[in-house]
C-alpha cells in the first residue's frame, strides 16, 4: 500500500479520518477536513464485491483510491472458498 501525500498539512489543514477519527495528515491547531485512513480504506474495500474490484483494478492488479492510497487486490479481496 502506498499512502498519498507527504503527511504534512497544507496551509495548516488537518485531515481526520471520517470513519475512526485518527489524524491522517497535518498537526493539531489547523482547519479540519475529513478523509479516510489506510486501515479504514482497506476495511471499506473488503466490503465491496471482488468482481467489482477486479473490474476497476489498474493493469498491475491494484486499486487506487481518490485519496491516493493504493492496494493490491490480494490485500483487499478475501481468498476464494
Amino acid at each position: 500500500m502506498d499512502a498519498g501525500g507527504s503527511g504534512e498539512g497544507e496551509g495548516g489543514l488537518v485531515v481526520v479520518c471520517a470513519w475512526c477519527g485518527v489524524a491522517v495528515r497535518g498537526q493539531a491547531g489547523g482547519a479540519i477536513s475529513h478523509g479516510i485512513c489506510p486501515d479504514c480504506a482497506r476495511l471499506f474495500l473488503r466490503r465491496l464485491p471482488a468482481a467489482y474490484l477486479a473490474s476497476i483494478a489498474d493493469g498491475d492488479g491494484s486499486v487506487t483510491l481518490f485519496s491516493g492510497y493504493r492496494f493490491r487486490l490480494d490485500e483487499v479481496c478475501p481468498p476464494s472458498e
Side-chain angles (χ1 to χ4, degrees):
M1 186 256 338
D2 297 322
S6 64
E8 298 175 359
E10 298 174 7
L13 183 66
V14 179
V15 179
V16 175
C17 179
W19 291 42
C20 71
V22 70
V24 176
R25 195 174 301 131
Q27 297 182 358
I32 296 177
S33 184
H34 291 86
I36 190 167
C37 72
D39 291 336
C40 289
R42 187 178 292 106
L43 290 172
F44 169 73
L45 290 173
R46 286 183 178 158
R47 297 178 74 179
L48 298 175
Y52 172 72
L53 291 173
S55 76
I56 64 167
D58 296 330
D60 65 357
S62 63
V63 175
T64 304
L65 301 180
F66 184 73
S67 62
Y69 298 134
R70 189 175 176 100
F71 298 93
R72 293 184 325 269
L73 287 177
D74 62 358
E75 288 182 87
V76 295
C77 292
S80 300
E81 295 182 24

